[in-house]
Amino acid sequence: MNTVADPLRAPVATRLPVADDFPILARPVHGRRLVYLDNGATTQKPTAVIEAEARFYRESNANIHRGVHWLSQHATELYDAARATVQRFIGAARADEIIFTRGTTEAINLVANTWGRKQLTAGDEILITTLEHHSNIVPWQMLCEQTGAVLKVAPVNEIGEVELDGFDALLSPRTRLVAITHISNALGTVNPVAEMVAHAHAVGAVVLVDGAQAVAHQAVDMQALGCDFYAFSGHKLYGPTGIGVLYGRAELLADMPPWQGGGDMIRTVSFERSTYAEAPQRFEAGTPNIAGAVALGAAIDYVQALGMDRIVAHEHALLEHATAALSAIPGLRMIGTAAHKAGILSFMIEHIHPHDLGTILDSEGVAIRAGHHCAMPLMTRFGIPGTARASLAVYNDDTDIAALVTAIEKAQTLFGTRKKP
Ligand code: PMP
């Protein structure tokens, strides 16, 4: 790890000149410059995305798939183009392997309620890890209750890594599904997903990857990962809320029953019996978030124009800088120091509850998250109620880290716990 003697002085790589693309960053909060470090919860939106959504409603709005009129066909083309953009972005083999959902949570629930209910029976096993977000735990618990399947949990070590030995030890011919996060939202740990997929496939299990924290921060390729399902949310990728993606391998989707019934997911309907459309329509009942999908396409275009290599280099440099700057604060304990980490810093400050810290930081204009980060079992594993979490995005730079450090020191001064380094 680098030691930065003066946290205010950081290498140039910690800056990407994109802040002007994000209008919200210009608004003050509590009379201070907004320092937005809650990107793990949701990212801010560039003008290109805000405009794409507004432009859709201004110029292209109509319902898709049903209209003979020009505007409906135009809207359908834009929706289909967004699907193709997602397909290319994650290296899916076919556009019909991309299902639009409300987000990661709905994507995971879709798999549980379709593939899961059809495939699992009593005694089958689902393997997850201790790192999982509640949305990659609770749907599987519900599925276990319905089917009699059993949930197994791979451990994490002291620094927040899932060790392959511990993971492998829980794989067996009974393992039907492995559901793992790509990057931990609570600790930033990057899992060795391609290896985990290969090991899971070796026992015949299907693998779902929760990519909510990954797609905005590293290149993601379905062929290289080899997974069967991949879920993510648009709003953590500079896109709108209410739109997300489930990628599913075509062979699996073809064999999955529908979940929600309604318009657009059928082939024929009679009172005796209905037949269903092919994927992805079979899993997109009702009017989807058309404008959201179009704006998600614009978000992906934005990320690709910036260049994933530049994003990765920037966030990595900023993570190293921030890790050194925070670690230099006496009384700060970092939770999660995996060898392979993304831009998430989870920490505790001696004698200050994370919620109190979050409130004091907020009064300084610094937005972080405090709490269990929807990963209560992981907090239990570390014997803590929660952490303070700063999570990075393309528009953050070393001045944000300097503001974070200064605000933490102010909190320590207020609590009378500040020690000289
Ligand atoms: N998984 C992970 C790892 C996440 O970070 C989140 C969001 N915090 C989710 C799942 C759920 O995403 P959403 O609320 O957008 O469905």
mmCIF file with all atom_site columns, all heavy atoms in Angstrom, residues 61-87:
data_model
loop_
_atom_site.group_PDB
_atom_site.id
_atom_site.type_symbol
_atom_site.label_atom_id
_atom_site.label_alt_id
_atom_site.label_comp_id
_atom_site.label_asym_id
_atom_site.label_entity_id
_atom_site.label_seq_id
_atom_site.pdbx_PDB_ins_code
_atom_site.Cartn_x
_atom_site.Cartn_y
_atom_site.Cartn_z
_atom_site.occupancy
_atom_site.B_iso_or_equiv
_atom_site.pdbx_formal_charge
_atom_site.auth_seq_id
_atom_site.auth_comp_id
_atom_site.auth_asym_id
_atom_site.auth_atom_id
_atom_site.pdbx_PDB_model_num
ATOM 1   N N   . ASN A 1 61 ? -42.097 9.253  -27.193 1.00 0.00 ? 61 ASN A N   1
ATOM 2   C CA  . ASN A 1 61 ? -42.920 8.454  -26.283 1.00 0.00 ? 61 ASN A CA  1
ATOM 3   C C   . ASN A 1 61 ? -44.118 7.791  -26.955 1.00 0.00 ? 61 ASN A C   1
ATOM 4   O O   . ASN A 1 61 ? -44.947 8.452  -27.589 1.00 0.00 ? 61 ASN A O   1
ATOM 5   C CB  . ASN A 1 61 ? -43.417 9.326  -25.137 1.00 0.00 ? 61 ASN A CB  1
ATOM 6   C CG  . ASN A 1 61 ? -44.267 8.517  -24.171 1.00 0.00 ? 61 ASN A CG  1
ATOM 7   O OD1 . ASN A 1 61 ? -43.815 7.481  -23.677 1.00 0.00 ? 61 ASN A OD1 1
ATOM 8   N ND2 . ASN A 1 61 ? -45.491 8.938  -23.942 1.00 0.00 ? 61 ASN A ND2 1
ATOM 9   N N   . ALA A 1 62 ? -44.192 6.480  -26.806 1.00 0.00 ? 62 ALA A N   1
ATOM 10  C CA  . ALA A 1 62 ? -45.358 5.682  -27.198 1.00 0.00 ? 62 ALA A CA  1
ATOM 11  C C   . ALA A 1 62 ? -45.154 4.322  -26.566 1.00 0.00 ? 62 ALA A C   1
ATOM 12  O O   . ALA A 1 62 ? -44.039 3.997  -26.141 1.00 0.00 ? 62 ALA A O   1
ATOM 13  C CB  . ALA A 1 62 ? -45.448 5.538  -28.714 1.00 0.00 ? 62 ALA A CB  1
ATOM 14  N N   . ASN A 1 63 ? -46.230 3.518  -26.487 1.00 0.00 ? 63 ASN A N   1
ATOM 15  C CA  . ASN A 1 63 ? -46.012 2.171  -25.965 1.00 0.00 ? 63 ASN A CA  1
ATOM 16  C C   . ASN A 1 63 ? -45.403 1.304  -27.062 1.00 0.00 ? 63 ASN A C   1
ATOM 17  O O   . ASN A 1 63 ? -45.617 1.533  -28.248 1.00 0.00 ? 63 ASN A O   1
ATOM 18  C CB  . ASN A 1 63 ? -47.309 1.569  -25.423 1.00 0.00 ? 63 ASN A CB  1
ATOM 19  C CG  . ASN A 1 63 ? -47.025 0.606  -24.270 1.00 0.00 ? 63 ASN A CG  1
ATOM 20  O OD1 . ASN A 1 63 ? -45.942 0.015  -24.207 1.00 0.00 ? 63 ASN A OD1 1
ATOM 21  N ND2 . ASN A 1 63 ? -47.974 0.448  -23.378 1.00 0.00 ? 63 ASN A ND2 1
ATOM 22  N N   . ILE A 1 64 ? -44.633 0.308  -26.611 1.00 0.00 ? 64 ILE A N   1
ATOM 23  C CA  . ILE A 1 64 ? -43.878 -0.496 -27.579 1.00 0.00 ? 64 ILE A CA  1
ATOM 24  C C   . ILE A 1 64 ? -44.663 -1.745 -27.981 1.00 0.00 ? 64 ILE A C   1
ATOM 25  O O   . ILE A 1 64 ? -45.636 -2.108 -27.336 1.00 0.00 ? 64 ILE A O   1
ATOM 26  C CB  . ILE A 1 64 ? -42.497 -0.898 -27.009 1.00 0.00 ? 64 ILE A CB  1
ATOM 27  C CG1 . ILE A 1 64 ? -42.668 -1.604 -25.658 1.00 0.00 ? 64 ILE A CG1 1
ATOM 28  C CG2 . ILE A 1 64 ? -41.608 0.311  -26.885 1.00 0.00 ? 64 ILE A CG2 1
ATOM 29  C CD1 . ILE A 1 64 ? -41.405 -2.269 -25.150 1.00 0.00 ? 64 ILE A CD1 1
ATOM 30  N N   . HIS A 1 65 ? -44.197 -2.394 -29.037 1.00 0.00 ? 65 HIS A N   1
ATOM 31  C CA  . HIS A 1 65 ? -44.650 -3.726 -29.469 1.00 0.00 ? 65 HIS A CA  1
ATOM 32  C C   . HIS A 1 65 ? -46.107 -3.798 -29.926 1.00 0.00 ? 65 HIS A C   1
ATOM 33  O O   . HIS A 1 65 ? -46.488 -4.747 -30.564 1.00 0.00 ? 65 HIS A O   1
ATOM 34  C CB  . HIS A 1 65 ? -44.458 -4.780 -28.360 1.00 0.00 ? 65 HIS A CB  1
ATOM 35  C CG  . HIS A 1 65 ? -43.010 -5.020 -28.053 1.00 0.00 ? 65 HIS A CG  1
ATOM 36  N ND1 . HIS A 1 65 ? -42.579 -5.408 -26.813 1.00 0.00 ? 65 HIS A ND1 1
ATOM 37  C CD2 . HIS A 1 65 ? -41.907 -4.920 -28.813 1.00 0.00 ? 65 HIS A CD2 1
ATOM 38  C CE1 . HIS A 1 65 ? -41.264 -5.534 -26.817 1.00 0.00 ? 65 HIS A CE1 1
ATOM 39  N NE2 . HIS A 1 65 ? -40.839 -5.241 -28.030 1.00 0.00 ? 65 HIS A NE2 1
ATOM 40  N N   . ARG A 1 66 ? -46.943 -2.814 -29.557 1.00 0.00 ? 66 ARG A N   1
ATOM 41  C CA  . ARG A 1 66 ? -48.366 -3.003 -29.840 1.00 0.00 ? 66 ARG A CA  1
ATOM 42  C C   . ARG A 1 66 ? -48.863 -2.119 -30.965 1.00 0.00 ? 66 ARG A C   1
ATOM 43  O O   . ARG A 1 66 ? -49.930 -2.343 -31.499 1.00 0.00 ? 66 ARG A O   1
ATOM 44  C CB  . ARG A 1 66 ? -49.202 -2.673 -28.602 1.00 0.00 ? 66 ARG A CB  1
ATOM 45  C CG  . ARG A 1 66 ? -49.015 -3.707 -27.535 1.00 0.00 ? 66 ARG A CG  1
ATOM 46  C CD  . ARG A 1 66 ? -49.536 -3.209 -26.225 1.00 0.00 ? 66 ARG A CD  1
ATOM 47  N NE  . ARG A 1 66 ? -48.786 -3.819 -25.150 1.00 0.00 ? 66 ARG A NE  1
ATOM 48  C CZ  . ARG A 1 66 ? -48.740 -3.374 -23.915 1.00 0.00 ? 66 ARG A CZ  1
ATOM 49  N NH1 . ARG A 1 66 ? -49.422 -2.306 -23.576 1.00 0.00 ? 66 ARG A NH1 1
ATOM 50  N NH2 . ARG A 1 66 ? -48.031 -3.991 -23.019 1.00 0.00 ? 66 ARG A NH2 1
ATOM 51  N N   . GLY A 1 67 ? -48.089 -1.085 -31.292 1.00 0.00 ? 67 GLY A N   1
ATOM 52  C CA  . GLY A 1 67 ? -48.654 -0.077 -32.179 1.00 0.00 ? 67 GLY A CA  1
ATOM 53  C C   . GLY A 1 67 ? -48.349 -0.324 -33.637 1.00 0.00 ? 67 GLY A C   1
ATOM 54  O O   . GLY A 1 67 ? -47.279 -0.807 -33.991 1.00 0.00 ? 67 GLY A O   1
ATOM 55  N N   . VAL A 1 68 ? -49.325 0.004  -34.481 1.00 0.00 ? 68 VAL A N   1
ATOM 56  C CA  . VAL A 1 68 ? -49.028 0.007  -35.912 1.00 0.00 ? 68 VAL A CA  1
ATOM 57  C C   . VAL A 1 68 ? -48.540 1.399  -36.302 1.00 0.00 ? 68 VAL A C   1
ATOM 58  O O   . VAL A 1 68 ? -48.015 1.584  -37.391 1.00 0.00 ? 68 VAL A O   1
ATOM 59  C CB  . VAL A 1 68 ? -50.273 -0.343 -36.763 1.00 0.00 ? 68 VAL A CB  1
ATOM 60  C CG1 . VAL A 1 68 ? -50.626 -1.806 -36.620 1.00 0.00 ? 68 VAL A CG1 1
ATOM 61  C CG2 . VAL A 1 68 ? -51.461 0.538  -36.414 1.00 0.00 ? 68 VAL A CG2 1
ATOM 62  N N   . HIS A 1 69 ? -48.720 2.362  -35.417 1.00 0.00 ? 69 HIS A N   1
ATOM 63  C CA  . HIS A 1 69 ? -48.366 3.722  -35.809 1.00 0.00 ? 69 HIS A CA  1
ATOM 64  C C   . HIS A 1 69 ? -46.865 3.969  -35.672 1.00 0.00 ? 69 HIS A C   1
ATOM 65  O O   . HIS A 1 69 ? -46.157 3.258  -34.954 1.00 0.00 ? 69 HIS A O   1
ATOM 66  C CB  . HIS A 1 69 ? -49.189 4.750  -35.005 1.00 0.00 ? 69 HIS A CB  1
ATOM 67  C CG  . HIS A 1 69 ? -48.997 4.689  -33.531 1.00 0.00 ? 69 HIS A CG  1
ATOM 68  N ND1 . HIS A 1 69 ? -47.963 5.331  -32.899 1.00 0.00 ? 69 HIS A ND1 1
ATOM 69  C CD2 . HIS A 1 69 ? -49.703 4.063  -32.561 1.00 0.00 ? 69 HIS A CD2 1
ATOM 70  C CE1 . HIS A 1 69 ? -48.048 5.109  -31.596 1.00 0.00 ? 69 HIS A CE1 1
ATOM 71  N NE2 . HIS A 1 69 ? -49.091 4.331  -31.368 1.00 0.00 ? 69 HIS A NE2 1
ATOM 72  N N   . TRP A 1 70 ? -46.424 5.015  -36.362 1.00 0.00 ? 70 TRP A N   1
ATOM 73  C CA  . TRP A 1 70 ? -44.994 5.273  -36.489 1.00 0.00 ? 70 TRP A CA  1
ATOM 74  C C   . TRP A 1 70 ? -44.310 5.443  -35.133 1.00 0.00 ? 70 TRP A C   1
ATOM 75  O O   . TRP A 1 70 ? -43.235 4.902  -34.892 1.00 0.00 ? 70 TRP A O   1
ATOM 76  C CB  . TRP A 1 70 ? -44.774 6.542  -37.347 1.00 0.00 ? 70 TRP A CB  1
ATOM 77  C CG  . TRP A 1 70 ? -43.319 6.808  -37.536 1.00 0.00 ? 70 TRP A CG  1
ATOM 78  C CD1 . TRP A 1 70 ? -42.503 6.273  -38.482 1.00 0.00 ? 70 TRP A CD1 1
ATOM 79  C CD2 . TRP A 1 70 ? -42.481 7.640  -36.704 1.00 0.00 ? 70 TRP A CD2 1
ATOM 80  N NE1 . TRP A 1 70 ? -41.207 6.708  -38.310 1.00 0.00 ? 70 TRP A NE1 1
ATOM 81  C CE2 . TRP A 1 70 ? -41.171 7.548  -37.227 1.00 0.00 ? 70 TRP A CE2 1
ATOM 82  C CE3 . TRP A 1 70 ? -42.713 8.434  -35.584 1.00 0.00 ? 70 TRP A CE3 1
ATOM 83  C CZ2 . TRP A 1 70 ? -40.094 8.236  -36.669 1.00 0.00 ? 70 TRP A CZ2 1
ATOM 84  C CZ3 . TRP A 1 70 ? -41.635 9.128  -35.015 1.00 0.00 ? 70 TRP A CZ3 1
ATOM 85  C CH2 . TRP A 1 70 ? -40.336 9.015  -35.560 1.00 0.00 ? 70 TRP A CH2 1
ATOM 86  N N   . LEU A 1 71 ? -44.949 6.237  -34.258 1.00 0.00 ? 71 LEU A N   1
ATOM 87  C CA  . LEU A 1 71 ? -44.298 6.558  -32.991 1.00 0.00 ? 71 LEU A CA  1
ATOM 88  C C   . LEU A 1 71 ? -44.070 5.295  -32.150 1.00 0.00 ? 71 LEU A C   1
ATOM 89  O O   . LEU A 1 71 ? -43.035 5.148  -31.497 1.00 0.00 ? 71 LEU A O   1
ATOM 90  C CB  . LEU A 1 71 ? -45.168 7.571  -32.224 1.00 0.00 ? 71 LEU A CB  1
ATOM 91  C CG  . LEU A 1 71 ? -44.447 8.529  -31.280 1.00 0.00 ? 71 LEU A CG  1
ATOM 92  C CD1 . LEU A 1 71 ? -43.252 9.213  -31.936 1.00 0.00 ? 71 LEU A CD1 1
ATOM 93  C CD2 . LEU A 1 71 ? -45.431 9.574  -30.756 1.00 0.00 ? 71 LEU A CD2 1
ATOM 94  N N   . SER A 1 72 ? -45.026 4.375  -32.174 1.00 0.00 ? 72 SER A N   1
ATOM 95  C CA  . SER A 1 72 ? -44.869 3.135  -31.426 1.00 0.00 ? 72 SER A CA  1
ATOM 96  C C   . SER A 1 72 ? -43.710 2.314  -31.987 1.00 0.00 ? 72 SER A C   1
ATOM 97  O O   . SER A 1 72 ? -42.920 1.728  -31.236 1.00 0.00 ? 72 SER A O   1
ATOM 98  C CB  . SER A 1 72 ? -46.167 2.322  -31.484 1.00 0.00 ? 72 SER A CB  1
ATOM 99  O OG  . SER A 1 72 ? -45.942 1.043  -30.945 1.00 0.00 ? 72 SER A OG  1
ATOM 100 N N   . GLN A 1 73 ? -43.617 2.307  -33.308 1.00 0.00 ? 73 GLN A N   1
ATOM 101 C CA  . GLN A 1 73 ? -42.510 1.549  -33.910 1.00 0.00 ? 73 GLN A CA  1
ATOM 102 C C   . GLN A 1 73 ? -41.169 2.190  -33.582 1.00 0.00 ? 73 GLN A C   1
ATOM 103 O O   . GLN A 1 73 ? -40.176 1.509  -33.307 1.00 0.00 ? 73 GLN A O   1
ATOM 104 C CB  . GLN A 1 73 ? -42.727 1.442  -35.418 1.00 0.00 ? 73 GLN A CB  1
ATOM 105 C CG  . GLN A 1 73 ? -43.833 0.434  -35.724 1.00 0.00 ? 73 GLN A CG  1
ATOM 106 C CD  . GLN A 1 73 ? -44.377 0.545  -37.122 1.00 0.00 ? 73 GLN A CD  1
ATOM 107 O OE1 . GLN A 1 73 ? -43.795 1.198  -37.982 1.00 0.00 ? 73 GLN A OE1 1
ATOM 108 N NE2 . GLN A 1 73 ? -45.508 -0.086 -37.363 1.00 0.00 ? 73 GLN A NE2 1
ATOM 109 N N   . HIS A 1 74 ? -41.162 3.519  -33.574 1.00 0.00 ? 74 HIS A N   1
ATOM 110 C CA  . HIS A 1 74 ? -39.946 4.264  -33.239 1.00 0.00 ? 74 HIS A CA  1
ATOM 111 C C   . HIS A 1 74 ? -39.523 3.951  -31.788 1.00 0.00 ? 74 HIS A C   1
ATOM 112 O O   . HIS A 1 74 ? -38.353 3.651  -31.520 1.00 0.00 ? 74 HIS A O   1
ATOM 113 C CB  . HIS A 1 74 ? -40.247 5.760  -33.418 1.00 0.00 ? 74 HIS A CB  1
ATOM 114 C CG  . HIS A 1 74 ? -39.137 6.669  -33.017 1.00 0.00 ? 74 HIS A CG  1
ATOM 115 N ND1 . HIS A 1 74 ? -37.853 6.564  -33.507 1.00 0.00 ? 74 HIS A ND1 1
ATOM 116 C CD2 . HIS A 1 74 ? -39.125 7.722  -32.145 1.00 0.00 ? 74 HIS A CD2 1
ATOM 117 C CE1 . HIS A 1 74 ? -37.093 7.503  -32.956 1.00 0.00 ? 74 HIS A CE1 1
ATOM 118 N NE2 . HIS A 1 74 ? -37.843 8.209  -32.126 1.00 0.00 ? 74 HIS A NE2 1
ATOM 119 N N   . ALA A 1 75 ? -40.491 3.998  -30.852 1.00 0.00 ? 75 ALA A N   1
ATOM 120 C CA  . ALA A 1 75 ? -40.189 3.701  -29.449 1.00 0.00 ? 75 ALA A CA  1
ATOM 121 C C   . ALA A 1 75 ? -39.687 2.261  -29.312 1.00 0.00 ? 75 ALA A C   1
ATOM 122 O O   . ALA A 1 75 ? -38.747 1.978  -28.549 1.00 0.00 ? 75 ALA A O   1
ATOM 123 C CB  . ALA A 1 75 ? -41.426 3.927  -28.582 1.00 0.00 ? 75 ALA A CB  1
ATOM 124 N N   . THR A 1 76 ? -40.303 1.338  -30.050 1.00 0.00 ? 76 THR A N   1
ATOM 125 C CA  . THR A 1 76 ? -39.877 -0.071 -30.015 1.00 0.00 ? 76 THR A CA  1
ATOM 126 C C   . THR A 1 76 ? -38.433 -0.203 -30.494 1.00 0.00 ? 76 THR A C   1
ATOM 127 O O   . THR A 1 76 ? -37.624 -0.933 -29.908 1.00 0.00 ? 76 THR A O   1
ATOM 128 C CB  . THR A 1 76 ? -40.806 -0.941 -30.885 1.00 0.00 ? 76 THR A CB  1
ATOM 129 O OG1 . THR A 1 76 ? -42.149 -0.727 -30.458 1.00 0.00 ? 76 THR A OG1 1
ATOM 130 C CG2 . THR A 1 76 ? -40.469 -2.414 -30.768 1.00 0.00 ? 76 THR A CG2 1
ATOM 131 N N   . GLU A 1 77 ? -38.105 0.542  -31.543 1.00 0.00 ? 77 GLU A N   1
ATOM 132 C CA  . GLU A 1 77 ? -36.729 0.483  -32.059 1.00 0.00 ? 77 GLU A CA  1
ATOM 133 C C   . GLU A 1 77 ? -35.734 0.983  -31.008 1.00 0.00 ? 77 GLU A C   1
ATOM 134 O O   . GLU A 1 77 ? -34.658 0.403  -30.835 1.00 0.00 ? 77 GLU A O   1
ATOM 135 C CB  . GLU A 1 77 ? -36.603 1.341  -33.328 1.00 0.00 ? 77 GLU A CB  1
ATOM 136 C CG  . GLU A 1 77 ? -37.045 0.601  -34.574 1.00 0.00 ? 77 GLU A CG  1
ATOM 137 C CD  . GLU A 1 77 ? -37.282 1.534  -35.761 1.00 0.00 ? 77 GLU A CD  1
ATOM 138 O OE1 . GLU A 1 77 ? -36.776 2.685  -35.739 1.00 0.00 ? 77 GLU A OE1 1
ATOM 139 O OE2 . GLU A 1 77 ? -37.987 1.116  -36.691 1.00 0.00 ? 77 GLU A OE2 1
ATOM 140 N N   . LEU A 1 78 ? -36.096 2.055  -30.317 1.00 0.00 ? 78 LEU A N   1
ATOM 141 C CA  . LEU A 1 78 ? -35.189 2.599  -29.292 1.00 0.00 ? 78 LEU A CA  1
ATOM 142 C C   . LEU A 1 78 ? -35.014 1.598  -28.145 1.00 0.00 ? 78 LEU A C   1
ATOM 143 O O   . LEU A 1 78 ? -33.901 1.407  -27.625 1.00 0.00 ? 78 LEU A O   1
ATOM 144 C CB  . LEU A 1 78 ? -35.725 3.932  -28.752 1.00 0.00 ? 78 LEU A CB  1
ATOM 145 C CG  . LEU A 1 78 ? -35.738 5.111  -29.732 1.00 0.00 ? 78 LEU A CG  1
ATOM 146 C CD1 . LEU A 1 78 ? -36.356 6.346  -29.075 1.00 0.00 ? 78 LEU A CD1 1
ATOM 147 C CD2 . LEU A 1 78 ? -34.328 5.433  -30.221 1.00 0.00 ? 78 LEU A CD2 1
ATOM 148 N N   . TYR A 1 79 ? -36.109 0.962  -27.746 1.00 0.00 ? 79 TYR A N   1
ATOM 149 C CA  . TYR A 1 79 ? -36.068 -0.035 -26.662 1.00 0.00 ? 79 TYR A CA  1
ATOM 150 C C   . TYR A 1 79 ? -35.190 -1.224 -27.083 1.00 0.00 ? 79 TYR A C   1
ATOM 151 O O   . TYR A 1 79 ? -34.330 -1.691 -26.331 1.00 0.00 ? 79 TYR A O   1
ATOM 152 C CB  . TYR A 1 79 ? -37.499 -0.469 -26.352 1.00 0.00 ? 79 TYR A CB  1
ATOM 153 C CG  . TYR A 1 79 ? -37.666 -1.381 -25.157 1.00 0.00 ? 79 TYR A CG  1
ATOM 154 C CD1 . TYR A 1 79 ? -37.487 -0.912 -23.863 1.00 0.00 ? 79 TYR A CD1 1
ATOM 155 C CD2 . TYR A 1 79 ? -38.065 -2.713 -25.322 1.00 0.00 ? 79 TYR A CD2 1
ATOM 156 C CE1 . TYR A 1 79 ? -37.675 -1.739 -22.759 1.00 0.00 ? 79 TYR A CE1 1
ATOM 157 C CE2 . TYR A 1 79 ? -38.256 -3.551 -24.233 1.00 0.00 ? 79 TYR A CE2 1
ATOM 158 C CZ  . TYR A 1 79 ? -38.059 -3.054 -22.945 1.00 0.00 ? 79 TYR A CZ  1
ATOM 159 O OH  . TYR A 1 79 ? -38.249 -3.878 -21.857 1.00 0.00 ? 79 TYR A OH  1
ATOM 160 N N   . ASP A 1 80 ? -35.390 -1.691 -28.310 1.00 0.00 ? 80 ASP A N   1
ATOM 161 C CA  . ASP A 1 80 ? -34.582 -2.813 -28.814 1.00 0.00 ? 80 ASP A CA  1
ATOM 162 C C   . ASP A 1 80 ? -33.109 -2.429 -28.940 1.00 0.00 ? 80 ASP A C   1
ATOM 163 O O   . ASP A 1 80 ? -32.212 -3.242 -28.685 1.00 0.00 ? 80 ASP A O   1
ATOM 164 C CB  . ASP A 1 80 ? -35.109 -3.285 -30.174 1.00 0.00 ? 80 ASP A CB  1
ATOM 165 C CG  . ASP A 1 80 ? -36.471 -3.970 -30.044 1.00 0.00 ? 80 ASP A CG  1
ATOM 166 O OD1 . ASP A 1 80 ? -36.859 -4.325 -28.909 1.00 0.00 ? 80 ASP A OD1 1
ATOM 167 O OD2 . ASP A 1 80 ? -37.161 -4.143 -31.089 1.00 0.00 ? 80 ASP A OD2 1
ATOM 168 N N   . ALA A 1 81 ? -32.874 -1.174 -29.342 1.00 0.00 ? 81 ALA A N   1
ATOM 169 C CA  . ALA A 1 81 ? -31.483 -0.712 -29.471 1.00 0.00 ? 81 ALA A CA  1
ATOM 170 C C   . ALA A 1 81 ? -30.813 -0.696 -28.094 1.00 0.00 ? 81 ALA A C   1
ATOM 171 O O   . ALA A 1 81 ? -29.630 -1.025 -27.961 1.00 0.00 ? 81 ALA A O   1
ATOM 172 C CB  . ALA A 1 81 ? -31.440 0.675  -30.102 1.00 0.00 ? 81 ALA A CB  1
ATOM 173 N N   . ALA A 1 82 ? -31.579 -0.323 -27.055 1.00 0.00 ? 82 ALA A N   1
ATOM 174 C CA  . ALA A 1 82 ? -31.019 -0.315 -25.695 1.00 0.00 ? 82 ALA A CA  1
ATOM 175 C C   . ALA A 1 82 ? -30.640 -1.739 -25.290 1.00 0.00 ? 82 ALA A C   1
ATOM 176 O O   . ALA A 1 82 ? -29.602 -1.982 -24.664 1.00 0.00 ? 82 ALA A O   1
ATOM 177 C CB  . ALA A 1 82 ? -32.023 0.278  -24.712 1.00 0.00 ? 82 ALA A CB  1
ATOM 178 N N   . ARG A 1 83 ? -31.465 -2.697 -25.665 1.00 0.00 ? 83 ARG A N   1
ATOM 179 C CA  . ARG A 1 83 ? -31.170 -4.106 -25.344 1.00 0.00 ? 83 ARG A CA  1
ATOM 180 C C   . ARG A 1 83 ? -29.869 -4.530 -26.038 1.00 0.00 ? 83 ARG A C   1
ATOM 181 O O   . ARG A 1 83 ? -29.024 -5.205 -25.438 1.00 0.00 ? 83 ARG A O   1
ATOM 182 C CB  . ARG A 1 83 ? -32.340 -4.994 -25.804 1.00 0.00 ? 83 ARG A CB  1
ATOM 183 C CG  . ARG A 1 83 ? -32.377 -6.338 -25.103 1.00 0.00 ? 83 ARG A CG  1
ATOM 184 C CD  . ARG A 1 83 ? -33.391 -7.286 -25.725 1.00 0.00 ? 83 ARG A CD  1
ATOM 185 N NE  . ARG A 1 83 ? -34.780 -6.872 -25.689 1.00 0.00 ? 83 ARG A NE  1
ATOM 186 C CZ  . ARG A 1 83 ? -35.600 -6.973 -24.644 1.00 0.00 ? 83 ARG A CZ  1
ATOM 187 N NH1 . ARG A 1 83 ? -35.149 -7.461 -23.512 1.00 0.00 ? 83 ARG A NH1 1
ATOM 188 N NH2 . ARG A 1 83 ? -36.856 -6.579 -24.723 1.00 0.00 ? 83 ARG A NH2 1
ATOM 189 N N   . ALA A 1 84 ? -29.717 -4.119 -27.281 1.00 0.00 ? 84 ALA A N   1
ATOM 190 C CA  . ALA A 1 84 ? -28.500 -4.473 -28.020 1.00 0.00 ? 84 ALA A CA  1
ATOM 191 C C   . ALA A 1 84 ? -27.269 -3.796 -27.400 1.00 0.00 ? 84 ALA A C   1
ATOM 192 O O   . ALA A 1 84 ? -26.182 -4.372 -27.372 1.00 0.00 ? 84 ALA A O   1
ATOM 193 C CB  . ALA A 1 84 ? -28.650 -4.083 -29.489 1.00 0.00 ? 84 ALA A CB  1
ATOM 194 N N   . THR A 1 85 ? -27.455 -2.581 -26.908 1.00 0.00 ? 85 THR A N   1
ATOM 195 C CA  . THR A 1 85 ? -26.342 -1.873 -26.243 1.00 0.00 ? 85 THR A CA  1
ATOM 196 C C   . THR A 1 85 ? -25.909 -2.636 -25.000 1.00 0.00 ? 85 THR A C   1
ATOM 197 O O   . THR A 1 85 ? -24.711 -2.825 -24.752 1.00 0.00 ? 85 THR A O   1
ATOM 198 C CB  . THR A 1 85 ? -26.775 -0.433 -25.863 1.00 0.00 ? 85 THR A CB  1
ATOM 199 O OG1 . THR A 1 85 ? -27.134 0.252  -27.057 1.00 0.00 ? 85 THR A OG1 1
ATOM 200 C CG2 . THR A 1 85 ? -25.665 0.321  -25.153 1.00 0.00 ? 85 THR A CG2 1
ATOM 201 N N   . VAL A 1 86 ? -26.888 -3.110 -24.210 1.00 0.00 ? 86 VAL A N   1
ATOM 202 C CA  . VAL A 1 86 ? -26.566 -3.892 -23.010 1.00 0.00 ? 86 VAL A CA  1
ATOM 203 C C   . VAL A 1 86 ? -25.854 -5.183 -23.418 1.00 0.00 ? 86 VAL A C   1
ATOM 204 O O   . VAL A 1 86 ? -24.851 -5.581 -22.811 1.00 0.00 ? 86 VAL A O   1
ATOM 205 C CB  . VAL A 1 86 ? -27.839 -4.216 -22.198 1.00 0.00 ? 86 VAL A CB  1
ATOM 206 C CG1 . VAL A 1 86 ? -27.524 -5.190 -21.065 1.00 0.00 ? 86 VAL A CG1 1
ATOM 207 C CG2 . VAL A 1 86 ? -28.477 -2.946 -21.643 1.00 0.00 ? 86 VAL A CG2 1
ATOM 208 N N   . GLN A 1 87 ? -26.377 -5.826 -24.454 1.00 0.00 ? 87 GLN A N   1
ATOM 209 C CA  . GLN A 1 87 ? -25.775 -7.088 -24.921 1.00 0.00 ? 87 GLN A CA  1
ATOM 210 C C   . GLN A 1 87 ? -24.288 -6.897 -25.229 1.00 0.00 ? 87 GLN A C   1
ATOM 211 O O   . GLN A 1 87 ? -23.442 -7.673 -24.762 1.00 0.00 ? 87 GLN A O   1
ATOM 212 C CB  . GLN A 1 87 ? -26.497 -7.568 -26.185 1.00 0.00 ? 87 GLN A CB  1
ATOM 213 C CG  . GLN A 1 87 ? -25.885 -8.822 -26.780 1.00 0.00 ? 87 GLN A CG  1
ATOM 214 C CD  . GLN A 1 87 ? -26.126 -8.963 -28.286 1.00 0.00 ? 87 GLN A CD  1
ATOM 215 O OE1 . GLN A 1 87 ? -26.935 -8.231 -28.862 1.00 0.00 ? 87 GLN A OE1 1
ATOM 216 N NE2 . GLN A 1 87 ? -25.427 -9.877 -28.896 1.00 0.00 ? 87 GLN A NE2 1
#
